[in-house]
């Protein structure tokens, strides 16, 4: 049986997993649908953010709200990617985490 990371957490914040080999079970379809909603929400939030930043200079409150919502959307997108990645065949550690940290250090933290 395969374990699938679900796109929701338990009441105490721990990850929830589904043990199944079926991609057609009710919970698998529910998880697929929720992942699609989460990714769609992230896309719409990104469009809104780009539009807002292009039209005006947002207030501090608007920026804080945008950062909070973008953080939530990024958390959801990472969870979807991890869930889908865990279902792919393992090919070994390619050092992607170290490369990501290097990019962040170089491009974002100046």
């Amino acid at each position: 049986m395969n374990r699938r990371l679900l796109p929701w957490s338990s009441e105490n914040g721990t990850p929830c997993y589904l043990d199944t080999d079926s991609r057609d079970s009710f919970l698998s379809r529910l998880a697929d649908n929720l992942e699609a909603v989460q990714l769609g929400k992230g896309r719409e939030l990104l469009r809104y953010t780009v539009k807002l930043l292009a039209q005006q200079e947002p207030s501090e409150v608007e920026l804080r709200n945008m950062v909070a919502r973008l953080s939530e959307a990024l958390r959801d997108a990472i969870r979807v990617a991890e869930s889908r990645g865990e279902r792919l065949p393992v090919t070994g550690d390619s050092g992607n985490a170290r490369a990501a940290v290097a990019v962040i250090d170089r491009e974002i933290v100046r």
Side-chain angles (χ1 to χ4, degrees), residues 13-47:
T14 59
C16 292
Y17 290 89
L18 174 63
D19 286 330
T20 184
D21 285 332
S22 172
R23 291 188 45 105
D24 197 36
S25 71
F26 173 77
L27 281 178
S28 287
R29 289 191 314 273
L30 181 65
D32 290 342
N33 289 336
L34 183 54
E35 287 177 352
V37 167
Q38 289 172 326
L39 294 175
K41 182 177 128 186
R43 276 190 294 276
E44 289 304 313
L45 181 60
L46 181 58
R47 281 190 198 111

Side-chain angles (χ1 to χ4, degrees), residues 27-83:
L27 281 178
S28 287
R29 289 191 314 273
L30 181 65
D32 290 342
N33 289 336
L34 183 54
E35 287 177 352
V37 167
Q38 289 172 326
L39 294 175
K41 182 177 128 186
R43 276 190 294 276
E44 289 304 313
L45 181 60
L46 181 58
R47 281 190 198 111
Y48 170 80
T49 300
V50 169
K51 186 177 176 181
L52 180 66
L53 292 173
Q55 292 178 354
Q56 64 185 20
E57 188 171 319
S59 70
E60 184 177 335
V61 171
E62 289 172 315
L63 287 173
R64 286 181 185 274
N65 286 333
M66 278 192 320
V67 168
R69 299 300 78 78
L70 288 168
S71 296
E72 292 166 1
L74 181 58
R75 180 201 62 223
D76 290 344
I78 289 170
R79 188 178 193 108
V80 170
E82 287 174 344
S83 176

Side-chain angles (χ1 to χ4, degrees), residues 4-18:
R4 175 186 179 167
L5 176 63
L6 295 172
W8 56 82
S9 299
S10 69
E11 289 180 10
N12 63 0
T14 59
C16 292
Y17 290 89
L18 174 63

Side-chain angles (χ1 to χ4, degrees), residues 74 78 95-110:
L74 181 58
I78 289 170
N96 289 335
R98 288 187 302 279
V101 168
V103 168
I104 291 169
D105 287 344
R106 185 180 68 242
E107 299 295 328
I108 298 173
V109 182
R110 295 177 190 235

